[in-house]
Amino acid sequence: MTASNFTWEYAPAPEAKDHAKIKKQYDLFINGQFVKPQSKKYFETINPANEEVLAQVAEANEKDVNAAVTAAKTAYDKYWKKLSGAERAKYIFRIARVIQERSRELAVIESLNGGKAIRESRDFDIPTAANHFFYYAGWADKLEYAFPNRTPQSLGVAAQIIPWNFPLLMAAWKIAPALATGNTVVLKPAESTPLTALKLAEIIQDCDLPPGVVNIITGFGNTGAAMVNHPQVNKIAFTGSTDVGKIIQKAIAGTDKKLTLELGGKAANIVFEDAPINQAVEGIVNGIFFNQGHVCCAGSRLFVQEGVADEVISKLKARMDTLIVGDPLDKNTDIGAINSKEQLEKIKSYLKIGVNEGLEIFQSDACALPKKGFFCKPTLFIGAAQSNRVVQEEIFGPVLTIQTFRTIEEVIEKANNIPYGLSAGVWTDKGSKIFNLTSKMRAGVVWANTYNKFDPTSPFGGYKESGFGREGGLHGLMPYVKF
Ligand code: NAI
Ligand code: MG
């Protein structure tokens, strides 16, 4: 796992995992209790870095979903909707503080179950999850300031379905604004990463939330579909694939259920000749390789202005020689495990597609992969064109396509010519170029001279097939209220 052209080698620096308590079996968290599934079924959840089983997790069927939604509805009618904002805030602050207190344990479990490098889960996922609860706790008693001269009312029961790339953080994004605005929740984590959501259920129990205000149930797509179709659900929030987003939209057509969708992306990361090149190279690496490229807003399409293309590509290759792929729990690791076997197969199929499309492929020789587990080398496709499938389709792995451009008009046209519109990045010394570009990009978020930066106060969401509705910030309250 060491680069041959290194002048030194890193000794392993594994994060301790003894303090991470994982039970052998997890039941469903319904009405404030862990209850056995009526389905009587459990499934295995594994560590994608070594394929070892971590726990057995309950698989909720339609009856279980009904129990969870009924608990959420009862809790809503009986007390949550009647509680003052200040009282709701106390509970949400409590959750935030306990996440902070238990952040080490949560980070280790996030890396064990999801495969992401401990540096990411420790320094980004878990602190940002706590911050989302803090931020929305602050809004709970100030909703009349969020919506001046209007009277915001809660919706009822929110069904929230989340993916595997940021398991605890996505749960926080969904649960915090829902509770702050007075709704109750049924949340389902992804089948491959249920453990931190179940830990959150334990935290919610410790925080003495009124039973039924938050219910956390586990299962596959069928469980999610049963949540979407339940008649007592008032609001659906989904993050995941565009395909499932479309299924959900069809399923609720003609009902008065409210919906927000946060789907895929294929972000353009644009480097102009006057950009700070070293900083840009670091931003490119951060944008697509860290987190194994399992990021909906990953900077997966690089556009480099012709004059600096050679320099950027050679510096990028040199930087890739130093990236460490391996044990997610090692503090030196840059790139952890791919989340699942299916996802690794999907990425590998795109590597073949790119090669068959005639593109030049680059993977560092210095980068070695562990023998066990699901791992993928960071990869470049050089000389890509708009028509290539690897340029048009979401890969959701550490794979970067590189295109060159001459003028700002050309790059805006190419960057926008895609079914997605979630995010983008621009690297230049000139402020006027940044404003020119950001105003013409059809992307929900545009980062300038940085990439993948998040803050609970700042809204996030997409255009076109990337979905609709905003999460985060003041805007993130909107999908959970009516007037
Ligand atoms: P997925 O969309 O199938 O799964 C996301 C969540 O939806 C999971 O909790 C899953 O159990 C649930 N789900 C699945 N089918 C459902 C249905 N019919 N009704 C309700 N809920 C349902 O995503 P998957 O299969 O894990 O990944 C496939 C691709 O989707 C990835 O390769 C990637 O391209 C994209 N993706 C995008 C994400 C994003 O952040 N926008 C996150 C995860 C995946
Ligand atoms: Mg799927």
Side-chain angles (χ1 to χ4, degrees):
M1 243 170 295
T2 45
S4 55
N5 57 352
F6 262 2
T7 49
W8 70 86
E9 291 186 356
Y10 283 103
E15 173 80 24
K17 55 180 180 187
D18 317 340
H19 60 298
K21 302 262 177 310
I22 301 176
K23 290 192 284 191
K24 282 214 168 77
Q25 182 173 300
Y26 283 92
D27 293 319
L28 304 168
F29 183 65
I30 297 176
N31 210 24
Q33 304 290 331
F34 281 92
V35 296
K36 300 248 169 279
Q38 298 182 48
S39 72
K40 300 199 167 66
K41 283 197 204 159
Y42 291 83
F43 60 95
E44 287 179 345
T45 188
I46 65 161
N47 176 348
N50 58 18
E51 299 171 59
E52 280 167 18
V53 176
L54 293 169
Q56 304 286 329
V57 178
E59 181 180 342
N61 67 11
E62 250 175 70
K63 284 185 190 155
D64 296 307
V65 169
N66 184 47
V69 175
T70 306
K73 174 76 177 136
T74 309
Y76 177 72
D77 289 333
K78 256 177 132 173
Y79 26 79
W80 197 246
K81 76 169 174 197
K82 298 177 195 156
L83 214 57
S84 71
E87 290 302 315
R88 289 199 305 273
K90 286 184 195 166
Y91 288 110
I92 308 169
F93 275 125
R94 222 182 269 172
I95 297 171
R97 283 194 298 267
V98 180
I99 291 177
Q100 277 188 326
E101 280 164 22
R102 292 176 61 178
S103 59
R104 270 294 151 111
E105 182 187 12
L106 290 166
V108 169
I109 296 176
E110 201 72 303
S111 286
L112 281 172
N113 198 194
K116 65 173 61 194
I118 187 74
R119 208 175 58 203
E120 293 285 325
S121 47
R122 181 196 61 198
D123 298 349
F124 178 69
D125 291 60
I126 310 302
T128 317
N131 286 346
H132 269 268
F133 280 105
F134 276 121
Y135 175 73
Y136 281 109
W139 273 121
D141 62 347
K142 302 176 195 70
L143 295 177
E144 73 258 40
Y145 301 102
F147 306 103
N149 303 320
R150 299 163 90 188
T151 315
Q153 289 173 314
S154 53
L155 301 173
V157 177
Q160 308 183 317
I161 301 167
I162 58 172
W164 40 262
N165 53 344
F166 293 90
L168 186 71
L169 181 56
M170 286 301 110
W173 277 33
K174 299 270 184 289
I175 295 175
L179 296 186
T181 46
N183 301 280
T184 57
V185 165
V186 179
L187 175 113
K188 188 191 88 63
E191 48 269 40
S192 61
T193 54
L195 292 183
T196 46
L198 290 162
K199 280 275 150 188
L200 181 62
E202 292 176 0
I203 289 172
I204 284 167
Q205 213 176 21
D206 290 348
C207 290
D208 274 333
L209 244 75
V213 170
V214 176
N215 305 273
I216 296 181
I217 59 174
T218 43
F220 297 79
N222 290 343
T223 310
M227 290 164 66
V228 167
N229 293 320
H230 196 290
Q232 283 188 311
V233 162
N234 305 97
K235 149 88 195 161
I236 296 156
F238 173 79
T239 299
S241 64
T242 304
D243 289 349
V244 174
K246 287 179 182 171
I247 292 173
I248 293 175
Q249 222 171 354
K250 272 190 204 146
I252 66 160
T255 73
D256 60 4
K257 291 175 186 171
K258 272 188 133 192
L259 175 65
T260 38
L261 295 176
E262 204 266 273
L263 309 173
K266 193 77 185 175
N269 204 356
I270 302 168
V271 180
F272 286 97
E273 278 166 1
D274 59 2
I277 299 295
N278 293 340
Q279 199 180 320
V281 167
E282 208 46 44
I284 295 161
V285 167
N286 171 32
I288 184 66
F289 295 142
F290 292 167
N291 256 312
Q292 303 73 246
H294 293 340
V295 187
C296 47
C297 50
S300 50
R301 291 182 296 150
L302 176 64
F303 290 91
V304 197
Q305 204 163 17
E306 263 181 20
V308 288
D310 289 346
E311 183 188 354
V312 168
I313 293 168
S314 75
K315 284 188 167 167
L316 191 54
K317 286 177 174 173
R319 180 68 177 92
M320 286 165 74
D321 282 341
T322 69
L323 291 175
I324 300 172
V325 182
D327 179 6
L329 282 191
D330 193 317
K331 291 167 205 138
N332 294 323
T333 294
D334 295 303
I335 301 173
I338 299 300
N339 184 263
S340 66
K341 196 164 178 228
E342 295 77 54
Q343 190 59 29
L344 181 58
E345 272 159 16
K346 176 179 168 182
I347 297 167
K348 281 184 176 164
S349 78
Y350 275 104
L351 295 183
K352 270 201 198 124
I353 290 168
V355 170
N356 290 340
E357 284 179 320
L359 300 180
E360 179 191 339
I361 186 170
F362 172 81
Q363 293 178 324
S364 170
D365 293 332
C367 174
L369 299 186
K371 300 259 175 317
K372 268 175 92 181
F374 314 133
F375 290 92
C376 179
K377 281 191 181 191
T379 305
L380 304 179
F381 277 123
I382 300 163
Q386 281 301 107
S387 56
N388 291 138
R389 278 185 65 191
V390 287
V391 167
Q392 289 292 325
E393 296 171 20
E394 185 180 52
I395 301 175
F396 227 65
V399 182
L400 179 68
T401 60
I402 305 182
Q403 296 170 260
T404 57
F405 68 95
R406 287 185 182 169
T407 66
I408 189 163
E409 292 75 25
E410 178 192 353
V411 76
I412 289 170
E413 158 74 30
K414 283 182 172 168
N416 282 339
N417 189 359
I418 192 108
Y420 295 107
L422 194 53
S423 60
V426 52
W427 300 82
T428 168
D429 199 25
K430 251 193 138 93
S432 58
K433 233 186 255 172
I434 293 172
F435 287 116
N436 186 0
L437 200 116
T438 49
S439 64
K440 290 179 185 142
M441 289 297 293
R442 296 286 292 162
V445 181
V446 187
W447 285 289
N449 294 328
T450 188
Y451 206 87
N452 267 350
K453 289 286 179 290
F454 284 88
D455 189 282
T457 63
S458 155
F460 181 83
Y463 285 89
K464 301 190 278 191
E465 290 204 5
S466 293
F468 47 78
R470 295 291 177 263
E471 295 183 293
L474 174 58
H475 303 70
L477 296 166
M478 191 71 98
Y480 289 96
V481 294
K482 62 184 178 199
F483 300 100

